[in-house]
Amino acid sequence: MFLTRDSQKTIIHVVGARPNYMKIAPVMEALRTAAGVRQVLINTGQHYDESMAGGFLTELELPRPDQDLGVGSGTHAVQTAKVIVAFEQICLAERPDLVVVVGDVNSTMAASLVAAKLVIPIAHVEAGLRSFDRTMPEEINRIVTDRLADLLLTPSRDGNDNLRAEGTPEEKIHLVGNVMIDTLRRHLPMAGLARIRDRIPVNDRAYAVLTLHRPSNVDSVETFRDILHAVRVVSSTMPVVFPVHPRTRSRLKEFGLEAELNGAILTEPLGYIDFLSLTSHARLVLTDSGGLQEETTALGIPCLTLRENTERPVTVTHGTNRVVGTRTVDIVAGFEQALVSTTGGRMPELWDGHAADRIAAVISRFLT
Ligand code: UD1
């Protein structure tokens, strides 16, 4: 059937920061063949380094963004405001039938505010997650986005429970599973250690991976130092590979903590498949990332979360995650326990590689 511009539905997908690309890629792919749907991809440019943004777009075979808003770094207010101003122009020009936002970064909340004010429906992928810690900027982004969204696409049942407890009408909530795991499953066959060994000389299941970027961990010299002391203990047992986020690299320098990492293997941030190669062959992972808690659960690799809480409790109740906090003694104790533990965890419900198909079905129903 030939569709005129009027009968065609326009969906704008919004991405902006590193953890967004792997969530939007399978959703766009699943909607590619949906009848009468035109997809527009907007990159806010919250992240802009090739290693944090552009490389992911190419590697995950996302279409070239229709526009890059080029907002860059800034305070929360500046970054959020820049997205709001630029994204409003896009929405006024495109008049989309739906805006799809993912995750919990500043771009997610900013785009949602614009859409809501223009009375454009919003679909939020990864809805309902709560750390119940409002000192975390992402928690504010989650609460605001979920409050405004019309389709709340949750990765796990705890998300449904949180939304219900906040009074969200039942008909808005759709349990679809974890879309990040769609991307992980698709790329896992390509994730061999051989592709990174020239840069990172490690042996299968004989090393740890460390990632750190949360302001609460790396912007406080005391907390950062405590974590690095624990890392020194881990690296006396096995090599620790540490791909360093730009924020973390500048804090390491500013606080003069570089020498604390003498025993670790430091790298630039890695691309998606290189990083998956690294994590999927590791003995264990130490991290403050949200996505990595989920990926290690899907891979069955022990994970120590260097935070006081998690918005992803299913990775603890079902998966391989332990929330150990940031004190040296607690991280080391968690490490020792992880080494002797034999449980590989189990896969949470609907983390089956088909979340994007379920999302596409919910969206298609909504648009018709
Ligand atoms: C952001 C998200 C966080 C997500 C993380 C993944 C918010 C509030 N935070 O945090 O939820 O887990 O991305 O990485 O949205 N920088 C560069 N190059 C870049 C991007 C950033 O050098 O491409 C540097 C800049 O100095 C910048 C700093 O990193 O000030 C922090 O970047 P920012 O986007 O503000 O926050 P993230 O810590 O990356």
Side-chain angles (χ1 to χ4, degrees), residues 17-19 46-49 52-53 73-74 76 79 104-107 137-138 141 213-215 245-247 250:
R18 183 169 64 175
Q46 176 173 343
H47 285 172
Y48 42 85
D49 286 351
M52 299 291 288
S73 300
H76 285 271
Q79 195 170 56
D104 55 16
V105 302
N106 285 346
S107 302
E138 292 81 359
N141 295 341
H213 75 283
R214 296 258 159 246
H245 185 282
R247 170 195 289 280
S250 54

Side-chain angles (χ1 to χ4, degrees), residues 137-321:
E138 292 81 359
E139 184 74 353
I140 308 298
N141 295 341
R142 292 180 200 117
I143 292 168
V144 173
T145 304
D146 283 343
R147 197 74 189 166
L148 300 176
D150 301 272
L151 295 177
L152 293 142
L153 305 157
T154 61
S156 45
R157 282 192 191 277
D158 53 282
N160 294 39
D161 296 341
N162 293 334
L163 292 170
R164 262 184 222 123
E166 291 172 11
T168 308
E170 198 64 38
E171 62 273 16
K172 288 188 173 183
I173 308 172
H174 303 269
L175 178 65
V176 291
N178 192 326
V179 79
M180 263 191 116
I181 307 308
D182 292 17
T183 300
L184 181 143
R185 284 181 174 234
R186 179 170 177 171
H187 293 89
L188 198 53
M190 292 168 242
L193 259 193
R195 61 179 286 143
I196 53 170
R197 255 216 197 98
D198 57 333
R199 286 158 289 156
I200 307 170
V202 285
N203 294 319
D204 201 12
R205 301 268 178 262
Y207 60 93
V209 176
L210 169 70
T211 82
L212 284 176
H213 75 283
R214 296 258 159 246
S216 57
N217 282 344
V218 303
D219 289 358
S220 149
V221 64
E222 293 81 18
T223 309
F224 201 176
R225 192 182 289 116
D226 275 0
I227 292 172
L228 295 184
H229 285 165
V231 171
R232 205 155 57 193
V233 176
V234 175
S235 65
S236 65
T237 307
M238 61 178 73
V240 176
V241 183
F242 184 19
V244 190
H245 185 282
R247 170 195 289 280
T248 310
R249 185 164 297 274
S250 54
R251 294 297 176 270
L252 270 175
K253 215 168 154 201
E254 185 184 325
F255 297 149
L257 290 173
E258 288 143 314
E260 302 282 346
L261 279 162
N262 279 344
I265 304 170
L266 269 57
T267 75
E268 292 301 310
L270 298 178
Y272 181 77
I273 305 174
D274 281 355
F275 190 66
L276 184 56
S277 306
L278 188 67
T279 51
S280 60
H281 293 273
R283 177 69 184 82
L284 94 164
V285 170
L286 301 101
T287 190
D288 60 11
S289 148
L292 201 39
Q293 295 172 48
E294 298 179 338
E295 289 168 336
T296 46
T297 276
L299 293 166
I301 305 278
C303 178
L304 302 182
T305 293
L306 311 180
R307 286 173 43 189
E308 304 303 330
N309 51 53
T310 180
E311 61 288 337
R312 290 159 161 95
V314 76
T315 61
V316 176
T317 54
H318 291 59
T320 53
N321 189 19

